[in-house]
Amino acid sequence: MVTREETRQAREAKLDELHERLTGAVEQLVSGDDWGRALAFAARFRARSFSNTLLIWAQHAAAYEAGRVPEPVPSYVAGYRQWQTLGRQVEKGQSGFMILAPVTGRFATATPSDPESWRRLGKGEKPRPGEVVRSKMITAKPAYVWDASQTAGEPIPEPPAPKLLEGEAPVGLWDGLAKLVEERGFAVLRVPHEGMIHGANGVTDYTAKTVAVRENMDPAAQVKTLAHELGHVLLHGPDQEDARQHRGIGEVEAESVALMIGAAHRMDTTGYTIPYVSTWAARVDGKEPVEIVKATGERVRKTALTILDQLDTAQVGDGTPPGLDRETPHRNQPSHERSAPERAASGRQVQPLPETGPRAAASAAVMQGRDL
Ligand SMILES: [Zn+2]
């Protein structure tokens, strides 16, 4: 006879293992070639002044309205020749966005504290012995930049994008999660498309007390999103200062909760979760992405456990006799397509994350290629 406490301990152990696998998968992704190329590419674009950023955004928005660029917001922006050095060419007929490029001059003095004593150096002129030299902006001149979408050529290295889940949702999971969201005083809204929620799959609004999920994706993706938003509801209210320090940490936590809820229902969310968690973890300054993911482990596990305890859905490892839970849809990954390590692990019942060993696909491309 398996006691409730034993079941709970077994579940905790599984969630721990799951989190370790997630951490390993993030580590693999962020140390992979695709990730490195995307970072190196991004590093070639220097930060621009606030006013130039505004100039670019305004002109890009106008170009979007005129149908000259496909996206409302700019991606990578660079000058004509810089695009050429990156192997891309501005397309015919695309006019650039005007920004103000600073023109600097070199100034020298032997008495730096006296503002009157600085003199401008001519081109190539050297300072006299004992003089210090400083560069200073004298004026600004117009310069032109183009968005990546106005150029063609070598492909732009992009970090792997989260892949939306496909297929059916586990039976009863949407209703169970929605009930928990509502118990916290939030209304669950289903919106027709992402345009209504800032292009997102789901949004939690702590002020309006709403959780919105878009309907124009597969049920599996919708329910995964609801689990993510429930993670936000439970972990990231306005009174939760810690997690609100950086949005990246909050996103890592919410999506890790969604992964655990999914796994307990045989729903493999890794094709979405791993790139998503990696991307947000990488946006937190001062720490390696893997450190961020590791640090959230305890909170994530506790939250997932709280949620799973309150759901009355059929979950793996909850004592349901094997075979009875086969009705839970898991067309996400037909068994004959499973890889060997996954088949070997199937005795453990938790749908395993991709292996983290050297044999496993280190590159994000492979992770993305999983047919979820
Ligand atoms: Zn989120």
Side-chain angles (χ1 to χ4, degrees):
M1 180 72 198
V2 180
T3 66
R4 194 178 153 74
E5 184 52 30
E6 277 165 356
T7 306
R8 201 162 200 278
Q9 277 171 4
R11 173 176 284 164
E12 269 188 279
K14 272 177 193 158
L15 293 181
D16 275 346
E17 184 191 324
L18 199 54
H19 195 263
E20 259 168 51
R21 281 167 175 261
L22 171 64
T23 310
V26 167
E27 186 156 37
Q28 233 179 338
L29 179 57
V30 302
S31 57
D33 284 351
D34 286 358
W35 190 270
R37 269 195 290 274
L39 278 195
F41 186 82
R44 303 278 298 265
F45 294 84
R46 60 198 172 85
R48 295 183 195 280
S49 70
F50 182 62
S51 54
N52 276 339
T53 303
L54 290 183
L55 282 172
I56 291 168
W57 276 66
Q59 293 169 88
H60 193 281
Y64 175 69
E65 270 171 27
R68 289 195 291 120
V69 291
E71 298 289 333
V73 294
S75 56
Y76 291 111
V77 165
Y80 194 90
R81 280 202 207 96
Q82 198 193 347
W83 276 123
Q84 287 179 324
T85 66
L86 293 164
R88 294 178 71 88
Q89 190 68 37
V90 171
E91 289 181 314
K92 263 210 165 80
Q94 288 283 6
S95 49
F97 309 139
M98 195 202 77
I99 59 169
L100 292 169
V103 177
T104 56
R106 291 184 310 138
F107 293 80
T109 182
T111 51
S113 56
D114 175 9
E116 301 293 308
S117 67
W118 291 86
R119 64 190 180 88
R120 188 171 173 188
L121 294 176
K123 219 179 171 189
E125 185 185 345
K126 293 205 169 85
R128 296 176 198 129
E131 280 189 330
V132 293
V133 180
R134 269 178 208 162
S135 284
K136 194 173 160 269
M137 183 175 139
I138 332 167
T139 181
K141 63 171 188 200
Y144 291 86
V145 292
W146 285 261
D147 183 67
S149 63
Q150 300 173 292
T151 66
E154 300 270 320
I156 290 171
E158 306 226 53
K163 190 175 181 297
L164 279 181
L165 268 62
E166 290 172 4
E168 295 305 313
V171 172
L173 185 55
W174 174 279
D175 289 341
L177 294 172
K179 193 170 151 244
L180 295 181
V181 170
E182 283 158 3
E183 277 172 13
R184 290 286 171 140
F186 285 72
V188 177
L189 311 173
R190 307 185 94 159
V191 298
H193 58 83
E194 61 274 27
M196 301 178 72
I197 44 176
H198 318 288
N201 297 327
V203 165
T204 295
D205 185 330
Y206 303 99
T207 313
K209 292 247 167 190
T210 55
V211 165
V213 176
R214 70 177 170 104
E215 282 181 312
N216 60 338
M217 49 188 184
D218 278 6
Q222 292 185 40
V223 82
K224 200 287 298 166
T225 302
L226 186 58
H228 174 112
E229 302 308 327
L230 176 57
H232 280 312
V233 166
L234 295 176
L235 286 166
H236 308 137
D239 47 340
Q240 300 267 354
E241 275 309 311
D242 284 357
R244 291 174 67 82
Q245 277 174 354
H246 194 290
R247 184 171 169 207
I249 294 173
E251 293 307 323
V252 167
E253 289 180 338
E255 186 58 26
S256 303
V257 168
L259 171 105
M260 290 184 173
I261 304 304
H265 295 86
R266 295 196 188 289
M267 190 170 70
D268 183 347
T269 74
T270 51
Y272 191 92
T273 299
I274 293 167
Y276 190 91
V277 163
S278 303
T279 305
W280 279 105
R283 289 190 197 172
V284 183
D285 292 333
K287 268 189 191 161
E288 290 298 313
V290 175
E291 297 304 311
I292 298 291
V293 177
K294 270 187 195 154
T296 59
E298 186 54 37
R299 267 164 66 81
V300 164
R301 190 194 60 173
K302 255 176 79 182
T303 308
L305 213 50
T306 306
I307 296 171
L308 291 173
D309 275 348
Q310 293 177 74
L311 290 172
D312 53 15
T313 47
Q315 296 166 26
V316 289
D318 68 349
T320 311
L324 276 190
D325 55 356
R326 266 193 211 133
E327 278 162 45
T328 311
H330 53 283
R331 57 175 258 204
N332 291 335
Q333 213 170 24
S335 56
H336 63 272
E337 281 177 18
R338 282 193 199 168
S339 61
E342 280 168 341
R343 255 197 314 275
S346 63
R348 275 201 312 268
Q349 296 208 319
V350 172
Q351 186 87 319
L353 286 166
E355 270 232 318
T356 52
R359 260 174 3 97
S363 83
V366 174
M367 255 182 266
Q368 272 181 289
R370 287 168 65 99
D371 187 23
L372 294 181

